[in-house]
Amino acid sequence: MEKQLLAQDMNIKRYLIRFPQEEVLKAENEIVAEVNQHYSFEGFRKGKAPKALIKARMSESFDTWIKDYLVDLAMTDIEKEEKNLFDPIIEASSKNEGVIEIEVKIHAYPKILSTKFSDMQVEVVKKVQVVEKYVEDRLNQLLEQNAILDPKDGPAELEDFVRTTYSVINAEGKVITDKKESEYVLYKEDERPQVKEIVGKKAGETVTFERKFEEKSYTYTINILEVFKRTIPEISDDFVQGIGADVKSLVELKEKLTDEGSQAYENWKNDYIKNYIIGELANYVEVELSDETIDFYAQRYIDSLKKENKYEQELGKHENDEAKMLEEVKKSSVKWIKELAVVDSIVKQKDIKAEKDDIDNAITSLAQNVWYMQPERAKEMVYSNQKLMNEIVWEVLRGKVAHEISSEVKLIEIDKNHDHEHDHDHEHEHEHNHE
């Protein structure tokens, strides 16, 4: 195989790839063997159909298969030197005296012209303020959990504790839930009807109301079994000793909660900085990227929306303005491509790898916090699904790259009440496969 770079426009390259007769014959024999393995032909035992028959029967499909096979060989060779954003595009081909020549166009990862990560600033709330709030909230939680409950005969009031059973039937009269027990506090800020409708009612009474979910109506019936007045205890050494905590005084409890809060803060801060860097990455990178690549990506994405019957839904998110949607898709594509290029570059420079422990830890985290399944079951699922595995590996590599970049980023601590949005949305608008 010989390859010649015919032309280059930024990251778009056109190659002429020449396959000599012996390589073409080898490819033909490989395909004939595969066809014989999976198909039978009348008059021949399975696996014994001659090449001439198979070529005649498959006609143009055989030639297309040969071209795809040879292009795959060529791309495997090319990708040893550079990665590509999309599958190669065959622009022309010819066959003469057993020699095949193919012209292909590829959209390579763009060249990184510059990075300015040192200009990036990440604002985080001061640790002392977050930890103080953590300790305060945990103490209040302990007080709430250990509230003194006194039965009452009068009507339920806000901040009381109630025990109930509830039943739910749909509009067709089908019982969805039947006399299920439930107990909860009637918090003032809780606007749910199962709270608001009970206030003012006594034990032994019943309330009924309707709720709608996804345009469907459901009737709720709540039977109030018991009402209790809650008294929040005073925080003291006696309280701490009475709840069976593994500390003996309020001072020790606060010290323990401070340590917990400090660890929780560090974990949060590390995750926040990582996600912030990943989300802002594209704004601090310049790449050599062709408009043709951006247009190609945008059109491919729009075609996929139409194929999946999601085009109108997505268009509605952009006020049914196709130009506006196209512009957003192009912005998203540039962001995605820049991220791919930077992550790939730093992974190579720093020899970063997604080790098995990294992958297993990522799977465990997803299993516990997103998928809500046993980690071992999640590992079985991921390790048997290459697409899922690729996504996990990509997330691990992104995280490690963000960690590398974090040493260049300026960290600014701010007061908790600082006018600053911390809930940055750094999720990609579109899904991609990272192979």
Side-chain angles (χ1 to χ4, degrees):
M1 174 180 61
E2 300 173 2
K3 60 179 185 293
Q4 176 187 354
L5 180 62
L6 298 177
Q8 180 173 354
D9 174 23
M10 295 188 173
N11 65 301
I12 294 180
K13 300 179 180 181
R14 287 174 169 81
Y15 284 97
L16 174 63
I17 308 170
R18 184 177 183 276
F19 297 92
Q21 187 175 24
E22 58 270 22
E23 289 188 21
V24 174
L25 289 173
K26 182 179 178 182
E28 289 180 350
N29 292 335
E30 291 280 349
I31 291 172
V32 166
E34 186 169 346
V35 170
N36 267 321
Q37 184 179 354
H38 295 95
Y39 300 97
S40 297
F41 294 86
E42 186 178 351
F44 296 91
R45 284 183 298 150
K46 187 174 182 179
K48 298 299 182 179
K51 181 194 295 188
L53 174 69
I54 292 175
K55 290 177 72 173
R57 290 282 182 90
M58 294 186 67
S59 187
E60 293 182 3
S61 296
F62 189 86
D63 293 336
T64 300
W65 198 344
I66 286 290
K67 291 174 190 174
D68 290 342
Y69 181 93
L70 293 174
V71 168
D72 284 345
L73 289 178
M75 293 309 299
T76 298
D77 188 63
I78 290 172
E79 288 183 347
K80 291 176 182 178
E81 302 173 4
E82 59 185 351
K83 283 190 173 183
N84 301 292
L85 298 168
F86 314 112
D87 291 335
I89 300 164
I90 298 177
E91 295 196 311
S93 63
S94 65
K95 185 175 183 181
N96 184 26
E97 296 182 355
V99 175
I100 290 181
E101 291 186 339
I102 303 174
E103 290 186 22
V104 296
K105 176 170 68 176
I106 65 171
H107 295 260
Y109 277 32
K111 178 182 177 182
I112 297 174
L113 301 176
S114 65
T115 60
K116 297 181 179 179
F117 301 135
S118 58
D119 290 348
M120 192 184 300
Q121 297 182 351
V122 185
E123 295 182 348
V124 294
V125 179
K126 292 177 180 177
K127 179 177 180 178
V128 63
Q129 295 178 346
V130 174
V131 175
E132 283 177 355
K133 186 65 168 59
Y134 177 87
V135 173
E136 178 186 339
D137 289 345
R138 287 288 286 116
L139 289 174
N140 287 334
Q141 185 182 41
L142 286 171
L143 291 172
E144 288 276 342
Q145 290 171 347
N146 291 276
I148 300 167
L149 302 180
D150 294 313
K152 61 186 290 188
D153 296 326
E157 301 173 274
L158 290 174
E159 304 303 322
D160 282 349
F161 179 85
V162 296
R163 288 185 58 247
T164 70
T165 61
Y166 72 96
S167 301
V168 184
I169 61 174
N170 64 16
E172 290 75 36
K174 180 181 178 182
V175 176
I176 307 299
T177 304
D178 188 27
K179 296 180 181 178
K180 184 174 182 179
E181 292 191 4
S182 179
E183 52 186 39
Y184 47 94
V185 177
L186 305 177
Y187 288 115
K188 181 179 180 180
E189 61 272 15
D190 194 336
E191 294 294 324
R192 294 178 301 162
Q194 52 263 56
V195 172
K196 296 175 67 176
E197 297 291 337
I198 286 180
V199 174
K201 303 296 190 298
K202 298 179 181 180
E205 294 187 323
T206 299
V207 297
T208 302
F209 55 87
E210 287 193 1
R211 299 188 72 181
K212 279 193 173 183
F213 297 98
E214 298 179 354
E215 303 302 320
K216 295 181 179 180
S217 295
Y218 298 87
T219 300
Y220 283 69
T221 301
I222 298 181
N223 296 310
I224 305 170
L225 303 179
E226 294 180 281
V227 179
F228 298 87
K229 177 179 176 58
R230 290 191 320 136
T231 302
I232 303 299
E234 294 286 334
I235 188 77
S236 65
D237 288 347
D238 289 340
F239 170 79
V240 172
Q241 294 167 10
I243 62 174
D246 56 354
V247 292
K248 297 180 179 180
S249 68
L250 179 58
V251 171
E252 289 181 8
L253 178 59
K254 286 183 176 180
E255 288 176 351
K256 178 184 177 181
L257 294 178
T258 298
D259 289 342
E260 286 181 8
S262 296
Q263 185 60 55
Y265 174 85
E266 292 301 326
N267 292 338
W268 166 83
K269 185 179 76 171
N270 291 336
D271 281 345
Y272 177 75
I273 292 172
K274 178 190 73 174
N275 292 330
Y276 186 93
I277 289 172
I278 291 171
E280 295 294 319
L281 207 58
N283 297 327
Y284 296 87
V285 176
E286 293 299 326
V287 297
E288 197 172 60
L289 182 62
S290 170
D291 287 341
E292 185 179 344
T293 294
I294 300 171
D295 291 339
F296 182 83
Y297 168 89
Q299 189 58 53
R300 194 177 75 153
Y301 176 70
I302 288 172
D303 289 344
S304 71
L305 287 177
K306 292 179 178 178
K307 184 178 180 180
E308 297 168 9
N309 295 319
K310 295 179 179 179
Y311 181 78
E312 296 300 328
Q313 178 184 350
E314 190 67 25
L315 187 61
K317 296 177 183 178
H318 298 85
E319 302 174 355
N320 292 316
D321 187 329
E322 291 187 345
K324 184 181 291 187
M325 184 178 79
L326 182 60
E327 187 62 28
E328 286 301 315
V329 171
K330 288 183 177 182
K331 286 181 182 179
S332 176
S333 71
V334 172
K335 183 176 181 180
W336 169 62
I337 292 168
K338 283 184 174 183
E339 182 183 312
L340 284 176
V342 170
V343 171
D344 182 66
S345 175
I346 294 178
V347 162
K348 289 176 179 176
Q349 290 174 18
K350 303 292 184 179
D351 193 27
I352 296 173
K353 292 181 173 59
E355 306 290 355
K356 187 177 186 302
D357 285 348
D358 301 321
I359 295 170
D360 287 348
N361 289 337
I363 296 171
T364 298
S365 178
L366 284 170
Q368 294 173 340
N369 302 311
V370 180
W371 298 336
Y372 301 109
M373 62 192 303
Q374 290 298 320
E376 290 307 314
R377 174 72 187 95
K379 289 175 186 177
E380 290 177 9
M381 180 178 70
V382 172
Y383 277 94
S384 63
N385 185 317
Q386 190 59 51
K387 182 175 182 293
L388 267 179
M389 176 59 77
N390 290 342
E391 291 174 359
I392 297 291
V393 169
W394 172 249
E395 289 303 317
V396 169
L397 293 176
R398 283 206 315 168
K400 289 191 170 188
V401 166
H403 179 72
E404 286 288 337
I405 294 173
S406 66
S407 61
E408 301 181 48
V409 171
K410 184 176 181 181
L411 191 63
I412 300 175
E413 291 191 336
I414 60 171
D415 290 326
K416 187 177 180 181
N417 295 325
H418 189 274
D419 184 20
H420 175 74
E421 291 289 338
H422 282 280
D423 295 325
H424 293 277
D425 180 10
H426 294 310
E427 297 297 321
H428 291 293
E429 297 174 19
H430 313 295
E431 295 181 358
H432 312 287
N433 293 332
H434 307 289
E435 298 181 357

